Amino acid sequence: TQPHPDQLTARDALIGGGIASAVGLLIIVVSIWGDDSGFHAPRWVVGAAGAVFLLAGLAIFSQDHPILSSLLRALLLTSFGAVFTWVSFGPGDRDFSTSVSIPFLTFSRSSSEISGRICFAPGALLLDGAALYTWFLLGRDWILRDLRD
């Protein structure tokens, strides 16, 4: 049968989901066993960033299972939002830089901590809001499913 136009073929899902999951798993492994000197964020933040890739890959594999896909999407948005929220509002110092690139030329300079945090804040709020909404929908669908049965 032909897949829905919005749905990946099994081959594409295997390749894309496999690559994303493998990258995510590698980042999670590094967040657990990596050398402390290479970290500029708490290990849980690095692990959450890895979880974004792992969950995206798993979500690609689960496209035929709506409840599982919704659960993975909620976990992905929660992990992604946690990273942005830590960068924006978490404790500790941050180092930011600003870069502008045009063909054959790049300008880069250091930016203030407050400007970097302000740049990440809208993304953090949007991702956290999207995660909450996705959890709400998942809970609602789960309750409605139980009421129908």
Side-chain angles (χ1 to χ4, degrees):
T1 65
Q2 288 289 334
H4 187 275
D6 294 338
Q7 196 171 21
L8 294 174
T9 65
R11 179 181 171 275
D12 291 343
L14 184 63
I15 292 169
I19 290 170
S21 295
V23 168
L25 198 55
L26 178 64
I27 294 169
I28 291 169
V29 166
V30 169
S31 78
I32 296 169
W33 289 294
D35 181 22
D36 284 341
S37 65
F39 285 88
H40 300 285
R43 289 180 181 269
W44 73 263
V45 174
V46 178
V52 169
F53 287 93
L54 176 62
L55 293 165
L58 295 175
I60 291 170
F61 289 135
S62 72
Q63 61 186 350
D64 293 331
H65 307 282
I67 294 289
L68 178 60
S69 182
S70 294
L71 175 62
L72 292 170
R73 191 171 33 256
L75 289 168
L76 185 151
L77 287 168
T78 301
S79 298
F80 206 11
V83 173
F84 271 66
T85 300
W86 178 81
V87 171
S88 299
F89 306 110
D93 295 332
R94 306 284 187 278
D95 294 317
F96 294 99
S97 63
T98 302
S99 298
V100 176
S101 296
I102 56 175
F104 310 109
L105 197 56
T106 299
F107 301 98
S108 184
R109 66 177 185 87
S110 181
S111 297
S112 72
E113 180 176 354
I114 192 72
S115 68
R117 286 180 182 260
I118 288 170
C119 286
F120 273 83
L125 295 172
L126 285 170
L127 286 165
D128 293 343
L132 285 171
Y133 183 67
T134 304
W135 282 110
F136 167 77
L137 292 178
L138 183 63
R140 183 200 65 187
D141 291 348
W142 191 266
I143 290 168
L144 291 176
R145 182 186 70 116
D146 284 348
L147 291 175
R148 284 190 298 250
D149 292 340

